[in-house]
Structure formats: structure tokens, C-alpha cells
Amino acid sequence: MELSEQEDMRKFHYHTLKLYCALCALGNTRVAHALCSHLDQSQLLYTIDNQYLSGMLREGFYNVLISIHLETAKEARLMMKDEFIIPVTAETRSIRLFSSASKKHSPPGVGLSTSLKPRLNFTPPCFISTKRDYLYSPQIPLDALKEKAISMLTEAVQGGGHHIRDPVGGGVEYQFVPILKLISTLLTMGVLGSEDVQKILLLIDPNVFRDMREEGVTGPIDKEGLTGTEGKAVEAGEEEAAKEAKQPMKGLLEKRLPEPVKRLMCELLHYFCDCELKHRIEAIVSFSDSFVSKLQCNQKFRYNELMLALNMSAAVTAKKTKEFRSPPQEQINMLLSFSMGDDCPCPSEIREELYEFHNQLQLHCGKTQTTKTL
């Protein structure tokens, strides 16, 4: 109450929190460990969940939490954002562009991903130590943090907006910006699983991502088509409350948002676009491994068949063995030069498989399919 009435005192504490963030910049984990003696985990977890905190202080505590505990891991992931190191394993070979035969897009960021990323390394907070215990960021319970973040974002989307008289933090900007920044950081770190990402996508735009499993978000459906909350309301005679519960929830993209919130939403959507690109690259690697393996098996079969042939003339033998006498680069050019027609050494069924994948990739990218020319 004192801070809400004294603006100078509130600004002083806000700038103190900004100073803490600046001290932790550029991976200064030694200072981050020292600051844990001033702002411990319980205090930070309480302040980010406090709905009565001033907007400036609310934003400041969120930034301090990210700077002390999460910023180093986030920057390590961002450094490899444009690098795709994909091990060719059984899991990678199982990745497909479309998860089902209906060829419908899977939600971005959901599903299997095998790209190598930096590990999340944390150490328990140590305020004073002579050992090299400051190499990693101070530890924080990530599971509890992500549950808090998703629940707070859900509450903000369901009960926030310009029509609210007293929003959390005193304004729509202070209500959404800190929690969206925390969600974006956790997504970049790879802390959120597939189910968590599905919940976030439904909060962004439920009309687009309604194909996802909504039972985990809205609760189980009974025989009459009512959720548990609606059934209790009907049993109590509160029909109006049941009607309100039936109304679809508006996502973040359907709300009137200030510019800082729009900017963070663009960052979130940019992250999901990167996830879509990563999924396509992993699917291309998976298909390439299978396709090249089939090419090599067919080439070996044709080579063995040629070696067993005894009644060919010298001219025919030279023509047939030209592929195997060529350098590897020319061999692959000859195999993939489908315009050669009947002279192309690649079998028609393998060519059809490549054409099919090409059409699927175009469909996944939102382009119209092109007709093949054999």
C-alpha cells in the first residue's frame, strides 16, 4: 500500500530491480549467485504470482527472475537457433511432414524433435564460495515455474482485457507483458512439453488450434455435452452461469491489445514459425536417409547384375558401366537426372517416391502442387 501511494519510492525500487538485471547481463553468473542472497527463489515465485503488486514492480520482478535464473540458458539456445544438427537415429527416421494420412498440419512446436540443442545446466545458489561454482546460472524449480506461468497466462486471457476495471498490475500492458515474456523464455529454453505448448496455442487463438485435445483444458465432457463446471451450475439452478460457460473463449489474437503486448505476440509467433521450419528440415533429413538408402541398394543390385552378365559387347559394357566408373558427384547427378527418360538409371518407383515427397513439402509450405514431368 505504501508503494502504491508513493510514486518516488516505487520508481526507486523499480530502478533497483533494473540495476540487478544489468549486473547479470552477458552471462555474469557470479553476480547472479550473489543476488540470490537478496532475492531468493521463494520471494521471486511469490512476487510473480502476486496480483496486487504494482505494474512497474511486477514487470521488474519478472525481468529479475529471467535475468538471474533463465537468461543464460535462453541465450545459449538462441545462439543455435539457425543451426540444425540432426543425428540420424531411429527417432529421426520416424519423423514425417504430416502426422496422419489426412495431411493436416500438426501444431507448431508439438511432437517429436531430434535436433541437438545446448543442455540446461544449473547449480544450487552459492553466495560465497572459493570454488568455481559460478559457471552455471542459479537453480530454480522449472516445473513449478512453468505451471505458474501457464496458469497465470490462462487467467489473464480468460479474465483480462480493456473491459476490466482493475486489471492485474493496473493495466493491460503490465498484465500481459511480463507473463508473455516469461512464456517466451521458457519456450526458447525448451522447458515446455507438447501438452503445455498446446495449451498456449489454444490461448493464442482457439479457433485455429481447436483441433487439439481440449479435454485437458476445458475439463471432461459428460453425456449431455456439459463440462463439470457447467453441470454444477445447472444443478444449482444457475442457468445464466451455464450459458456464460458455454460461450467460446476469446484468444489473445482476438483481443484489443496495446503495442508492447503485440510485439511480444509477434515474438511468440516467430518462435512457432521457427519450430515449423525445424520440423520441415527434420522431415527432409528423415526422407533423405531413406531415399538415399534405397538408391544405394538399387545401385548395388544393378552392379551385381552387371557383373554376372557375360554375353554383352564391349560397347554395351562401356555404356552400362559408365555410371559406376564415374566420380560420386557425377553418379548422383545421373541418378537424379530424371529428364533422361528411359536412360535414367533410377527406377520409376523411387522417382515416384521423390515426386510424392516434393508435393507433400509444397503442400506443407502452403503452395499448390506442380505436375511432374518424367
Side-chain angles (χ1 to χ4, degrees):
M1 293 178 63
E2 181 181 1
L3 289 176
S4 63
E5 294 174 356
Q6 299 184 15
E7 184 178 358
D8 294 339
M9 183 69 70
R10 186 169 65 250
K11 287 184 178 180
F12 171 78
H13 286 293
Y14 173 70
H15 287 291
T16 303
L17 295 175
K18 288 184 66 176
L19 176 61
Y20 289 164
C21 295
L23 291 173
C24 298
L26 301 177
N28 196 347
T29 54
R30 183 183 181 90
V31 175
H33 280 273
L35 288 177
C36 290
S37 61
H38 299 273
L39 297 168
D40 59 359
Q41 294 180 10
S42 59
Q43 183 180 2
L44 285 175
L45 294 177
Y46 171 77
T47 51
I48 64 174
D49 200 16
N50 191 350
Q51 299 182 357
Y52 304 101
L53 201 62
S54 171
M56 294 177 61
L57 294 181
R58 174 182 170 84
E59 182 180 5
F61 276 111
Y62 271 85
N63 292 337
V64 167
L65 170 67
I66 295 173
S67 299
I68 293 178
H69 297 281
L70 309 177
E71 189 69 27
T72 303
K74 174 187 175 183
E75 291 299 325
R77 289 294 181 98
L78 288 177
M79 288 177 63
M80 293 187 62
K81 180 175 66 71
D82 298 326
E83 299 179 18
F84 302 95
I85 305 175
I86 305 171
V88 183
T89 60
E91 292 182 341
T92 302
R93 295 186 181 99
S94 65
I95 296 177
R96 299 292 182 268
L97 279 174
F98 299 100
S99 58
S100 61
S102 59
K103 296 184 179 180
K104 291 185 178 180
H105 278 264
S106 300
V110 176
L112 178 64
S113 177
T114 58
S115 298
L116 298 182
K117 297 295 180 183
R119 292 182 179 179
L120 301 179
N121 296 312
F122 297 94
T123 54
C126 49
F127 311 138
I128 300 175
S129 176
T130 58
K131 301 179 181 179
R132 294 180 60 86
D133 296 330
Y134 308 108
L135 187 59
Y136 304 119
S137 298
Q139 191 176 9
I140 193 169
L142 295 176
D143 292 336
L145 184 61
K146 73 176 183 180
E147 290 179 3
K148 279 180 175 290
I150 294 175
S151 64
M152 288 187 291
L153 181 62
T154 304
E155 293 176 1
V157 173
Q158 291 178 349
H162 286 276
H163 62 284
I164 303 299
R165 179 179 178 182
D166 296 318
V168 177
V172 178
E173 176 181 348
Y174 290 121
Q175 182 181 15
F176 283 100
V177 168
I179 185 60
L180 285 177
K181 189 178 296 185
L182 178 59
I183 289 289
S184 177
T185 302
L186 294 176
L187 282 171
T188 304
M189 293 171 58
V191 176
L192 302 180
S194 296
E195 294 184 0
D196 301 324
V197 175
Q198 288 179 6
K199 295 177 183 178
I200 294 173
L201 291 173
L202 285 173
L203 294 175
I204 291 177
D205 195 338
N207 296 324
V208 176
F209 303 104
R210 197 175 296 277
D211 294 337
M212 308 304 303
R213 289 183 306 166
E214 297 188 42
E215 293 183 1
V217 180
T218 58
I221 306 297
D222 59 12
K223 295 180 180 179
E224 297 179 359
L226 299 177
T227 61
T229 305
E230 296 173 6
K232 292 179 181 179
V234 173
E235 291 177 3
E238 299 177 358
E239 297 181 358
E240 295 181 358
K243 291 180 180 179
E244 292 179 358
K246 290 181 182 179
Q247 295 179 358
M249 180 189 65
K250 285 188 176 182
L252 277 170
L253 297 181
E254 299 175 312
K255 293 179 178 289
R256 187 161 58 93
L257 302 173
E259 289 299 323
V261 183
K262 292 180 180 179
R263 183 179 63 84
L264 283 174
M265 286 301 304
C266 290
E267 293 181 4
L268 272 180
L269 297 177
H270 193 276
Y271 165 81
F272 288 121
C273 289
D274 290 340
C275 291
E276 196 78 350
L277 173 62
K278 180 176 65 174
H279 174 69
R280 288 171 185 160
I281 292 177
E282 291 175 348
I284 291 174
V285 172
S286 173
F287 172 80
S288 300
D289 177 74
S290 173
F291 183 77
V292 171
S293 180
K294 292 179 180 179
L295 276 180
Q296 291 177 336
C297 290
N298 178 263
Q299 190 180 41
K300 183 179 180 180
F301 172 77
R302 289 186 289 104
Y303 177 80
N304 294 333
E305 191 179 41
L306 184 62
M307 291 295 103
L308 295 176
L310 301 176
N311 55 352
M312 289 191 303
S313 62
V316 175
T317 303
K319 181 179 179 182
K320 292 286 186 180
T321 58
K322 179 182 178 182
E323 173 190 353
F324 307 105
R325 291 183 287 104
S326 303
Q329 184 62 46
E330 293 186 14
Q331 288 188 33
I332 194 66
N333 291 338
M334 294 172 63
L335 287 171
L336 299 182
S337 182
F338 297 165
S339 59
M340 295 173 62
D342 296 335
D343 295 333
C344 179
C346 183
S348 59
E349 58 271 12
I350 298 182
R351 281 183 280 174
E352 287 287 344
E353 190 173 342
L354 183 59
Y355 280 125
E356 178 64 23
F357 180 79
H358 175 70
N359 291 332
Q360 288 185 10
L361 185 59
Q362 283 190 318
L363 180 62
H364 199 273
C365 295
K367 295 183 179 179
T368 56
Q369 299 184 9
T370 56
T371 57
K372 62 182 179 181
T373 55
L374 292 175

